[in-house]
């Protein structure tokens, strides 16, 4: 189910937290909302989930408008907050059943969903253990289970891996990937750029409440004029000018048999470049493709690294 956010705005006193925010998440799409400390991500998510009333703008899930009192529209959205919201004195299964009943699920259907969710999150073996005995990472996995138990059309995850151990982090990312493969739409915020690279089809970069860039990694890199680089090691020197004349090559600098070539799309240009090298009687000993990442784009746009501060 498609989410459409149109010209969303929210202020707290004189401070504008979100200003004229618009975005769209299509059915089955994985969308990352990134931003430095104080960018407005949590405020935006709170409005999208119907937890905070916007000053202006509109949020639609399918043909339903999301508001703070629109119960049916809010049921289409599952929200996993940064704060762990589980009952420590209940078991994992009891936590899931409790929240499932709050969403109106009962009987065999609820039992099936609880079992499927525990299996998805790697908690089936701890189903009857109290949540207070879980590690922080396991509690976060259970937190995700609560958000997706009612099978929402859109799952919103706000920093779901913050402060967890590597094993739990990988388990969370694997579970999110499986949800996406099953067609669930995702809105994902993170302070780990590698997570956005791994999980998200598109990202929006929010800074001081304003969406300053949006697109796939490749689109954002191209928009900023960033080039891929190829590091090459050859068995003999070649003429740099011949390499520079190859399709898509912006520059080439060689020091003897080692060189670096700047190119607009390395993976698609590599075959022609290797042919140009072979035409000069040289062979490639090794090649490394270095693609500009989202971290470089983010730093360029905001002047800050993604993990400079909180959400």
């Amino acid at each position: 189910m498609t989410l459409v956010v149109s010209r969303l705005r929210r202020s707290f006193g004189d401070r504008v937290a979100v200003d004229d925010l618009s975005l769209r998440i299509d059915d089955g799409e994985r969308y990352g909302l990134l931003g430095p400390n104080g960018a407005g991500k949590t405020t935006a998510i709170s409005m999208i989930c119907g937890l905070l009333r916007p000053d202006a703008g509109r949020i639609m899930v399918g043909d339903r408008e999301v508001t703070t009192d629109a119960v049916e529209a809010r049921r289409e959205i599952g929200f996993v907050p940064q704060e762990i919201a589980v009952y420590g004195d209940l078991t994992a299964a009891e936590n899931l059943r409790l929240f499932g009943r709050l969403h109106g699920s009962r009987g065999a259907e609820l039992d099936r969903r609880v079992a499927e969710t525990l299996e998805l999150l790697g908690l089936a073996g701890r189903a009857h253990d109290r949540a207070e005995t879980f590690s922080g990472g396991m509690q976060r996995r259970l937190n995700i289970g609560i958000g997706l138990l009612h099978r929402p059309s859109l799952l919103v995850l706000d920093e779901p891996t913050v402060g967890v151990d590597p094993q739990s982090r990988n388990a969370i990312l694997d579970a999110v990937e499986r949800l996406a493969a099953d067609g669930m739409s995702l809105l994902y915020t993170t302070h780990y750029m590698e997570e956005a690279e791994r999980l998200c089809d598109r990202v929006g970069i929010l800074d001081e409440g304003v969406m300053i860039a949006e697109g796939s990694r490749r689109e954002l890199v191209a928009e900023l004029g960033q080039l891929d680089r190829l590091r090459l090691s050859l068995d003999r020197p070649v003429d740099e000018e011949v390499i520079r004349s190859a399709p898509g090559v912006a520059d080439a600098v060689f020091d003897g048999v080692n060189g670096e070539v700047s190119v607009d799309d390395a993976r698609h240009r590599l075959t022609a470049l290797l042919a140009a090298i072979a035409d000069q009687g040289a062979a490639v000993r090794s090649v490394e493709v270095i693609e500009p990442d989202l971290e470089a784009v983010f730093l360029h746009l905001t002047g800050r690294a993604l993990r400079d501060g909180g959400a």
Side-chain angles (χ1 to χ4, degrees), residues 33-295:
L33 187 62
L34 310 179
N37 182 32
K41 301 187 303 299
T42 297
T43 300
I45 282 176
S46 297
M47 290 188 286
I48 289 170
C49 293
L51 303 175
L52 182 66
R53 190 183 303 275
D55 297 331
R58 196 178 193 199
I59 305 154
M60 299 291 297
V61 176
D63 59 359
R64 294 189 175 105
E65 184 171 6
V66 179
T67 66
T68 53
D69 54 3
V71 175
E72 290 303 318
R74 290 174 61 184
R75 279 181 179 152
E76 298 290 345
I77 300 172
F79 178 45
V80 181
Q82 290 184 38
E83 299 79 15
I84 295 175
V86 302
Y87 290 98
D89 57 344
L90 298 181
T91 68
E94 288 169 344
N95 267 282
L96 292 175
R97 286 197 182 93
L98 171 62
F99 285 97
R101 286 195 293 269
L102 292 175
H103 280 287
S105 185
R106 296 287 188 275
E109 173 66 13
L110 177 57
D111 291 340
R112 182 181 63 80
R113 289 187 178 184
V114 168
E116 289 176 352
T117 301
L118 290 169
E119 186 67 33
L120 172 70
L121 297 170
L123 295 174
R126 302 291 301 272
H128 304 297
D129 294 341
R130 288 183 304 190
E132 65 188 7
T133 68
F134 288 2
S135 68
M138 292 174 66
Q139 289 186 9
R140 285 203 172 272
R141 281 188 262 168
L142 182 57
N143 214 36
I144 292 174
I146 290 168
L148 63 87
L149 185 70
H150 68 291
R151 300 300 183 264
S153 301
L154 171 70
L155 184 63
V156 179
L157 302 110
D158 191 10
E159 303 278 356
T161 64
V162 65
V164 305
D165 59 276
Q167 181 180 359
S168 286
R169 185 174 177 224
N170 285 331
I172 289 170
L173 296 180
D174 287 344
V176 171
E177 286 185 316
R178 288 196 293 274
L179 291 170
D182 289 339
M184 185 177 289
S185 301
L186 301 174
L187 173 55
Y188 193 94
T189 77
T190 179
H191 271 151
Y192 299 97
M193 195 63 80
E194 63 271 22
E195 292 183 7
E197 294 263 10
R198 172 177 170 178
L199 296 175
C200 300
D201 302 312
R202 288 188 303 130
V203 301
I205 298 177
L206 200 64
D207 194 22
E208 297 183 352
V210 177
M211 184 77 81
I212 58 175
E214 186 183 46
S216 67
R217 183 198 65 80
R218 174 61 66 182
E219 289 168 344
L220 291 174
V221 165
E223 191 173 312
L224 293 178
Q226 300 283 323
L227 295 172
D228 296 342
R229 289 177 294 148
L230 289 167
R231 287 180 179 165
L232 300 164
S233 177
L234 311 178
D235 66 347
R236 66 183 64 186
V238 294
D239 186 344
E240 289 182 9
E241 290 303 321
V242 173
I243 303 303
R244 290 192 186 102
S245 67
V249 173
D251 195 16
V253 178
F254 279 82
D255 179 12
V257 297
N258 299 313
E260 185 168 290
V261 180
S262 300
V263 61
D264 62 5
D265 188 345
R267 297 187 186 277
H268 287 91
R269 303 292 190 182
L270 184 57
T271 299
L273 182 61
L274 295 179
I277 292 171
D279 287 346
Q280 297 187 64
V284 177
R285 288 176 172 166
S286 67
V287 58
E288 179 184 5
V289 178
I290 304 170
E291 297 178 332
D293 57 17
L294 284 176
E295 187 73 52

